Amino acid sequence: MLDQHDYTDFLKTFAASMPKPPRAIVLFSAHWESGAQSISTVDKYSTIYDFSGFQDELYQMTYPARGDLAISDEIQQLFEKNGIPSIMNPERGLDHGAWAVLKLMYPDADIPVVALSVNRFLTNEEQYRIGKALSSLREQDILIIGSGGIVHNLRMLNWQGGNTPDEWAVAFDDWIREKLENWDLEALFEYEKSAPYAKEAVPTNEHFIPLLLAMGTGDGNRQAKLLHRSYQLGTLSLSCWEFN
């Protein structure tokens, strides 16, 4: 949020380049974990500072977006139609996996947001199916975002690496790119066994899950496009994929 680099510039430019702002935003955040698929029904969001040790300025930032109960209800109906249990949550605010991205893209917080949780204990195929259940929302000018990170290993950060990625991080990212562009679901669902350096790239899967959720929303046309990829500290890939 406080740095200016290729990824933050991309997010600001991408939002501005869209033909028109979305009617609403539905966002899966890696930082909202729940054993049951949760759907926010908040009228106006508080801001969650789920991090520590950073600059004071970050703790002064807010993102007072409003929710949209009608869309929350529609999401629950879509989940029910597809056999996906879900619960409503009228209290949780927006964590930094949500507001940090949204504040860069839409700083005025004037677009309704419905936040959704992730469940790390589901299979990769089940994650994809959750996203697929929401695909009809795309026809209503609703932007669906999966906020996470494809390569996300905090224990292996290279503090001297700058923006130059470690070779193993690139190898995993390149494997994922090939499978996404070919919509190779069989390989992606088994990435833990097949992808090079999978254990290093995805030590815990909560940050990877949003990729599968977002991909599932594009199941109709099955077209994946890499819009941006850069790196921080050697092992954090900052990527944006568009699924149509």
Side-chain angles (χ1 to χ4, degrees), residues 29-33 50 92 95-98 118 147 152 206-207:
S29 172
H31 290 272
W32 183 8
E33 292 189 55
D50 50 334
R92 183 181 170 88
D95 56 65
H96 84 272
V118 301
S147 175
H152 190 274
E206 72 280 357
H207 279 81

Side-chain angles (χ1 to χ4, degrees), residues 144-157:
I144 305 174
I145 298 175
S147 175
I150 295 177
V151 181
H152 190 274
N153 191 327
L154 300 182
R155 293 186 178 183
M156 295 183 68
L157 294 180

Side-chain angles (χ1 to χ4, degrees), residues 28-50:
F28 291 94
S29 172
H31 290 272
W32 183 8
E33 292 189 55
S34 175
Q37 180 60 61
S38 298
I39 307 165
S40 66
T41 58
V42 173
D43 178 52
K44 186 176 182 179
Y45 287 97
S46 60
T47 305
I48 301 174
Y49 307 100
D50 50 334

Side-chain angles (χ1 to χ4, degrees), residues 5-7 150-151 161-174 228-239:
H5 48 69
D6 289 348
Y7 187 60
I150 295 177
V151 181
N163 296 329
T164 302
D166 289 355
E167 290 184 5
W168 64 263
V170 176
F172 181 81
D173 248 341
D174 285 346
H228 177 87
R229 188 170 86 175
S230 57
Y231 293 86
Q232 282 187 315
L233 302 177
T235 67
L236 296 178
S237 68
L238 304 174
S239 303

Side-chain angles (χ1 to χ4, degrees), residues 124 171-172 175-176 178-179 184-199:
N124 294 324
F172 181 81
W175 188 92
I176 292 294
E178 179 190 358
K179 304 311 176 187
D184 188 344
L185 295 180
E186 182 177 356
L188 285 166
F189 292 162
E190 298 289 333
Y191 78 89
E192 299 101 321
K193 300 177 182 178
S194 304
Y197 304 104
K199 291 182 179 180

Side-chain angles (χ1 to χ4, degrees), residues 39 71-81 84 86-88 134:
I39 307 165
I71 295 176
S72 296
D73 287 338
E74 183 174 359
I75 289 172
Q76 187 174 53
Q77 292 170 15
L78 289 171
F79 283 152
E80 183 177 358
K81 179 181 177 181
I84 300 167
S86 63
I87 58 175
M88 298 296 208
L134 303 184

Side-chain angles (χ1 to χ4, degrees), residues 7-193:
Y7 187 60
T8 56
D9 289 346
F10 162 77
L11 288 177
K12 296 173 185 177
T13 304
F14 175 68
S17 70
M18 297 181 71
K20 62 179 180 179
R23 180 170 70 87
I25 298 169
V26 171
L27 187 146
F28 291 94
S29 172
H31 290 272
W32 183 8
E33 292 189 55
S34 175
Q37 180 60 61
S38 298
I39 307 165
S40 66
T41 58
V42 173
D43 178 52
K44 186 176 182 179
Y45 287 97
S46 60
T47 305
I48 301 174
Y49 307 100
D50 50 334
F51 47 82
S52 61
F54 289 87
Q55 300 96 318
D56 291 341
E57 186 178 349
L58 285 174
Y59 301 93
Q60 308 305 316
M61 291 183 176
T62 61
Y63 196 79
R66 294 196 172 275
D68 190 310
L69 185 57
I71 295 176
S72 296
D73 287 338
E74 183 174 359
I75 289 172
Q76 187 174 53
Q77 292 170 15
L78 289 171
F79 283 152
E80 183 177 358
K81 179 181 177 181
N82 287 274
I84 300 167
S86 63
I87 58 175
M88 298 296 208
N89 187 310
E91 299 178 353
R92 183 181 170 88
L94 293 176
D95 56 65
H96 84 272
W99 67 260
V101 173
L102 294 175
K103 195 171 181 69
L104 288 169
M105 295 178 69
Y106 301 103
D108 295 332
D110 55 354
I111 299 174
V113 175
V114 176
L116 300 175
S117 67
V118 301
N119 181 355
R120 69 163 74 185
F121 298 107
L122 299 178
T123 67
N124 294 324
E125 186 173 3
E126 288 172 322
Q127 309 289 0
Y128 183 91
R129 191 165 65 88
I130 288 172
K132 183 178 178 180
L134 303 184
S135 58
S136 62
L137 296 178
R138 298 152 51 95
E139 302 167 6
Q140 304 176 38
D141 292 328
I142 295 175
L143 175 64
I144 305 174
I145 298 175
S147 175
I150 295 177
V151 181
H152 190 274
N153 191 327
L154 300 182
R155 293 186 178 183
M156 295 183 68
L157 294 180
N158 181 354
W159 294 99
Q160 285 75 45
N163 296 329
T164 302
D166 289 355
E167 290 184 5
W168 64 263
V170 176
F172 181 81
D173 248 341
D174 285 346
W175 188 92
I176 292 294
R177 177 176 183 169
E178 179 190 358
K179 304 311 176 187
L180 289 174
E181 290 178 340
N182 290 292
W183 215 273
D184 188 344
L185 295 180
E186 182 177 356
L188 285 166
F189 292 162
E190 298 289 333
Y191 78 89
E192 299 101 321
K193 300 177 182 178

